Each structure stands twice: as C-alpha cells, then as structure tokens.
Amino acid sequence: MGASEELAYLKSLVNQLNEKIASLESKKPAPSPVQQLRTILVGPPGAGKGTQAPNIREKYCVCHLATGDMLRDQVDKQTPLGIAAKKIMDAGGLVSDDIMVNMIKDQLENNKDCKNGFVLDGFPRTVPQAQKLDGMLADRKEKLDSVVQLLIDDQLLISRITGRLVHPASGRSYHKIFNPPKKAGVDDITGDPLIQRSDDNAETLTRRLKTYHTQTGPVVDYYKAKGLWHGVDASQSPKLVWDSIRGIFAASTSSRK
C-alpha cells in the first residue's frame, strides 16, 4: 500500500470513529433521578454559602436558586410575581410563602438549568415554607435529597467578617488578620484605598445572626426529624468544607439506588 493510499485509509477510519462517537453521544440517556441532586444550603451570613453554592452548581450541573436574588430579579423585570412582591415590600410587609414557592416552581418548570436538580439558598426560612416546598415537590413527584447546614461559632464569624476589607472597583477582598494586603489599607494591585462595608460591623452582624438563629432553628429541627439534615464545620478551609459537602451528596444519592 502506497503512502497516499495508507493516508486515505487512515482518514476513513478517523471519519468512521467520529461518526460512531457522534451517534453514541446522541443516544446518551438523560440524567436519571439517581444522578440528580435536590438540596438546600443553610448558613448564617459569612459562613461560605456564596463560595459553596457555585461549586455545587458547577459540579452537579444544577441551578442555584438564591431566593433574595430571584425576588430582586422578578421585581426588576416587573413580572406578575414581582409586581405583587413589590407592593408587599413597599408597604413594609413580608413576601408571602405562596409567592416564594411559586417563584421557585416557576424556575423549576422554565429554567433549563434546573433539569438536573437544584440547590436552594435562602429558602425555606420557616416551617410553613418548608411544608409548602414539600407539597410542591410532591406534586412534581420529586423529593429533597439533603439539607446541608454550614455550622460556625458566632464569635468566629464576627471576627472573620469585621476584619474584611474590600477594593470597591474590582471586588477583591482582604482580611486584616487572615489575608492582609501587602501595605495596610490599600489594594495590592492598584494601590487604591480599601474600604470596610458599612454592614460589616459587630452590632449589625450580631443582630443578623440572632434573626438567623431564631428563624433557622425550627426549620433545621423539621429537616432533622425527616432525616435529611447534615451539618458541616464551616470554620475549616473552603476546600475541606467542599469535600464534606460532596461526601454528603454521594451518600444521599446512593441511598436512592
């Protein structure tokens, strides 16, 4: 066989292989319930939800439903839900459980990123909300896999957050003790002054943590009674926290097999 014939033969083999790969990929089954993930991430301000929720979204190809962000988005877009919610908030009231559940339901039905499951962040905040969420999932013939709570001592959390310094233009963050800038008070790259956010103070944080514990306690007890609750030590490094969360998901999804 001449060189040109051998080359043509090899090219035909490559084409056949590519066609076979494309055929197999097109027949790849949709994720089964065992491969899906439906979880709730619970934690006080500054415990690391903002770090771990995106990790969960990327690793498991699920949607991250942060209800505070979703509510603001609905209001900005002036959807029927958003208009109803804005009226309540403008009057100083709390958005109803039904509005919150319908907002999540809308995402699960219409957001293609939710087809493999979800991580809920900021909801449910009360036992009635948890019960309504159960009802909505039951209507969809779905169940929660797990509820993961990031646990950290209040005083440690306050020392973490009150030491935060931020470069406003880029969002780069530092910490006076754990990750100080090279030169006190200024950004390493631009030399601009660093600021401390107005709500990163002990008084505000103590108040927010008290509200969090009051609200979260009954919800955590509700999920503990159902055997869905898992606690993770959030004082560890983000990598160790992530390893713990992945272990919980592996155990909870394998139990459905």
Side-chain angles (χ1 to χ4, degrees):
M1 186 185 291
S4 60
E5 291 173 317
E6 188 174 1
L7 184 61
Y9 171 69
L10 290 172
K11 281 183 176 177
S12 73
L13 278 181
V14 169
N15 287 335
Q16 287 174 41
L17 282 170
N18 284 335
E19 287 170 9
K20 182 69 174 173
I21 289 167
S23 171
L24 289 170
E25 285 184 338
S26 68
K27 294 174 183 173
K28 192 162 62 176
S32 70
V34 170
Q35 293 169 287
Q36 294 178 345
L37 178 76
R38 290 178 287 272
T39 192
I40 296 171
L41 191 60
V42 182
K49 286 190 301 176
T51 299
Q52 301 303 337
N55 287 343
I56 298 169
R57 182 188 66 216
E58 298 302 321
K59 170 72 176 174
Y60 296 94
C61 301
V62 297
C63 58
H64 172 209
L65 302 181
T67 49
D69 294 341
M70 289 164 58
L71 200 54
R72 284 186 286 275
D73 184 55
Q74 295 276 340
V75 170
D76 290 345
K77 289 179 178 174
Q78 296 190 327
T79 64
L81 273 175
I83 291 166
K86 189 173 188 304
K87 281 182 184 175
I88 295 164
M89 291 188 292
D90 286 349
L94 293 172
V95 176
S96 73
D97 295 348
D98 284 336
I99 286 179
M100 299 300 289
V101 171
N102 284 331
M103 195 167 60
I104 292 164
K105 185 179 180 182
D106 175 66
Q107 287 291 310
L108 297 185
E109 289 174 355
N110 300 308
N111 183 344
K112 67 181 189 305
D113 292 336
C114 296
K115 69 181 186 298
N116 295 337
F118 57 80
V119 51
L120 280 181
D121 174 358
F123 183 91
R125 290 186 184 275
T126 64
V127 171
Q129 286 182 357
Q131 291 168 334
K132 285 181 181 293
L133 177 64
D134 283 346
M136 186 264 286
L137 290 175
D139 290 343
R140 294 171 55 83
K141 296 181 171 55
E142 295 176 349
K143 287 182 180 178
L144 278 174
D145 298 313
S146 56
V147 175
V148 177
Q149 184 178 14
L150 301 179
L151 303 167
I152 185 167
D153 178 77
D154 283 3
Q155 289 308 310
L156 176 58
L157 198 59
I158 289 169
S159 69
R160 268 189 183 182
I161 295 176
T162 53
R164 281 199 302 207
L165 296 167
V166 179
H167 179 238
S170 68
R172 276 187 293 277
S173 63
Y174 301 85
H175 193 280
K176 292 175 183 175
I177 299 168
F178 306 121
N179 179 34
K182 292 173 183 172
K183 183 180 177 185
V186 299
D187 180 51
D188 288 350
I189 295 172
T190 64
D192 294 340
L194 299 174
I195 65 161
Q196 185 170 31
R197 291 197 176 110
S198 58
D199 58 351
D200 282 358
N201 64 76
E203 185 182 348
T204 301
L205 280 164
T206 301
R207 190 165 58 246
R208 288 174 70 193
L209 286 169
K210 185 177 179 182
T211 301
Y212 164 79
H213 291 306
T214 302
Q215 284 185 337
T216 307
V219 177
V220 164
D221 289 342
Y222 176 81
Y223 286 121
K224 280 181 177 177
K226 287 177 169 285
L228 292 171
W229 178 88
H230 303 269
V232 173
D233 179 4
S235 67
Q236 306 174 94
S237 72
K239 183 185 181 305
L240 289 176
V241 172
W242 175 232
D243 289 344
S244 298
I245 291 172
R246 284 195 303 165
I248 290 165
F249 293 161
S252 61
T253 53
S254 65
S255 68
R256 286 193 272 130
K257 291 183 180 179

